Amino acid sequence: MKKIVAVAALVWLAGCKAEPGAHPDGGGKEADTFRPTGLPVVDKPISLRIPMVKQPYFNDLDKMATVRQLEERTNIRIDWNPIPVEGFKDRINLMLAGGELPDAFFVGLSSQDVIKYGSQGTLIPLEGLIERYAPNISRILAEHPQVRRTATAPDGHIYSLPWFKEQQFFEYRNTYLINRTWLDALQLKMPETTEDFYRVLKAFKENDPNGNGLPDEIPSTFRYNATTNGYYELFGAFGVIDAVTNLYVKDGKVKFEATEPRYKEAIRYLHRLYGEGLIDRETFTQDTKQLLSKTKNDVPIVGVLASFNGTFELDLERLKHYEPMPPLRGPNGDRVWRRQDNRIIPNFFSITSANKHPEATIRLVDEMNEPKSVLQFQQGPFGTHLKERDDGKIEVLYPPPGTDLVYWIGSVTPSTALPLMISKEWMDKVIPHETDQLRERFYQVYKPYIAKEEETYPSLYLTPEQNKRVSILGADINKFVRQMEAKWIVQGGVEEEWDDYVAELNRMGLAELMKIRQESYDRFYGN
């Protein structure tokens, strides 16, 4: 199979060599303008049409300093199509399903999209372009085989590049922050077990820890079906590896956790908390805005919340009253913290068949990933957001007083939506700013308990045929599991309804779904 893929790649490359800078299908007209190396990328300006998610913390894309500098260096103008985050995926789906294709996508494609539209030719293979024109990306793929493996489709092609940051604390997602001021006010110790946690939340609810004489305390608040701000890490106290995907691996075999006794035990515990008002009653209905209205209330009313590092849900000042709560030990001695390894996130950049300048496009993204450039696209430009010191270290500058860090960065770069690849070599040059220092400190609390990588089902591509079945089976099964999860936590009944629930999952095709998961896992690891 590898030989076939290699031959196919060579044939494709041979087609590219027919005319330097020409589009592989002969439709481009870059021969007189495209430069394989050096800057600008093209002698005559060209434009590329790229949709972009319009995050609330992004400035006007055309006014962002990093984007303007990139366009000046490369002679490539990006004709952005900014789309609000609400409805963004629907718009992307319309483009793929027969609407006017852009020249490229950054974020917005799912793994199913990449395989489906890659195999159909809507997205073009990138590996030949990368090898010839993208030395920065090529270096990352060569030095980090896991990045290349994650980006490679079952047919051997790369249709989409991932985001990659070689930073250890990205091994996990959520920190549970507990109000240290409230613990001290009530003379309570940091909870160590699930029973300790129950007693602490009960004390938060009943003993007026904020001291205002009102029963306004919310012992804990979460968001349902959310990887950030979710309650899913609490499942680890019962030995559950990943209550978000419900998949884990044991001795090379892929398992489904939502049918196992430990999952049922975790649900029973969460119902106990919810039933006594120790989990926010609005957990299953609130959005981020509603959550923030509680965590940023003028009078502190939240005891425990889940967060990446607390700066978004709280702020640096409010965060001083909170501490990371270590993983709880469950009734059977389990103490696991969910691994959500975000060092590699797939599907951050693809080129479409409508693109007449694929060579220039890959060079644009490679220039974005030039070592100093990639740091600026992540944090902001040198001079305003970064400072290079005489010792070679790079200092991250702080925003003006009263300016939120996320908006400070989002005013100059769409960093969270770009295919940035940052190696440890360059991360080590950066002096961490306060939020990364917080994140590193929190990581040390959770590091000993994070689920092992070999126990965690990896992010990987399926074949087009597998995608079709998983999109049907997986969607229905996951929806049913989430519905029953919410019902049982709110209303109870998990014990009485468990056997019927498992039988229904089997009727829905769980065995077939797990067979596909196992086959894709074995292919990913070459088993």
Side-chain angles (χ1 to χ4, degrees), residues 3 75 123 218 233 310 398 433 517:
K3 288 183 178 179
N75 226 0
L123 306 178
I218 301 172
E233 280 73 13
Y398 288 93
H433 54 64
R517 295 294 188 196

Side-chain angles (χ1 to χ4, degrees), residues 53-315:
V53 61
K54 189 178 181 182
Q55 295 287 7
Y57 49 86
F58 282 176
N59 192 7
D60 184 332
L61 290 153
D62 290 322
K63 295 179 181 177
M64 290 184 177
T66 51
V67 174
R68 290 203 315 268
Q69 292 167 7
L70 180 70
E71 291 179 336
E72 291 169 1
R73 290 199 306 274
T74 60
N75 226 0
I76 300 172
R77 184 184 183 282
I78 303 174
D79 182 11
W80 299 106
N81 177 10
I83 303 169
V85 64
E86 301 84 3
F88 178 70
K89 181 57 181 169
D90 291 338
R91 291 279 297 278
I92 295 297
N93 288 342
L94 286 173
M95 294 176 192
L96 288 166
E100 185 177 350
L101 276 177
D103 291 307
F105 290 102
F106 284 156
V107 293
L109 301 185
S110 67
S111 292
Q112 290 84 355
D113 292 334
V114 168
I115 296 303
K116 176 180 178 180
Y117 293 103
S119 64
Q120 293 177 1
T122 303
L123 306 178
I124 69 170
L126 302 180
E127 64 273 8
L129 292 168
I130 292 168
E131 183 178 338
R132 294 188 71 196
Y133 304 118
N136 295 306
I137 296 170
S138 293
R139 185 181 66 254
I140 292 290
L141 297 183
E143 293 175 356
H144 302 278
Q146 183 77 347
V147 178
R148 175 178 281 278
R149 185 162 57 184
T150 300
T152 303
D155 65 5
H157 288 306
I158 295 175
Y159 297 110
S160 189
L161 285 175
W163 180 93
F164 170 64
K165 189 174 183 180
E166 195 176 5
Q167 193 159 43
Q168 287 301 112
F169 62 58
F170 279 112
E171 287 184 343
Y172 86 112
R173 180 74 182 178
N174 274 354
T175 294
Y176 275 29
L177 295 166
I178 189 166
N179 196 315
R180 177 80 252 181
T181 301
W182 286 12
L183 288 174
D184 293 343
L186 301 180
Q187 297 183 332
L188 297 168
K189 293 181 179 179
M190 180 71 75
E192 295 182 2
T193 69
T194 48
E195 284 304 303
D196 290 344
F197 188 58
Y198 166 79
R199 286 189 288 268
V200 165
L201 294 184
K202 199 168 179 63
F204 284 174
K205 181 175 186 281
E206 298 174 350
N207 297 327
D208 191 29
N210 66 11
N212 66 352
L214 300 172
D216 56 352
E217 286 84 0
I218 301 172
S220 65
T221 188
F222 302 100
R223 286 195 305 126
Y224 165 65
N225 204 20
T227 52
T228 303
N229 310 134
Y231 48 73
Y232 296 100
E233 280 73 13
L234 291 173
F235 283 72
F238 299 87
V240 174
I241 302 297
D242 190 343
V244 173
T245 67
N246 292 312
L247 299 170
Y248 75 105
V249 179
K250 184 175 182 180
D251 300 326
K253 301 301 179 184
V254 183
K255 307 282 188 178
F256 191 73
E257 290 193 284
T259 55
E260 298 190 351
R262 54 188 178 177
Y263 175 87
K264 178 171 61 172
E265 193 174 3
I267 292 286
R268 204 162 42 222
Y269 174 75
L270 287 166
H271 171 61
R272 178 187 176 197
L273 298 183
Y274 187 89
E276 296 192 32
L278 307 184
I279 292 177
D280 189 350
R281 296 291 188 186
E282 296 182 344
T283 285
F284 293 91
T285 57
Q286 68 182 342
D287 58 18
T288 303
K289 186 177 180 180
Q290 290 168 304
L291 177 74
L292 294 179
S293 72
K294 299 167 183 176
T295 59
K296 293 192 174 184
N297 194 60
D298 291 340
V299 175
I301 58 173
V302 173
V304 176
L305 68 146
S307 171
F308 184 74
N309 64 10
T311 57
F312 179 67
E313 294 82 0
L314 301 162
D315 54 40

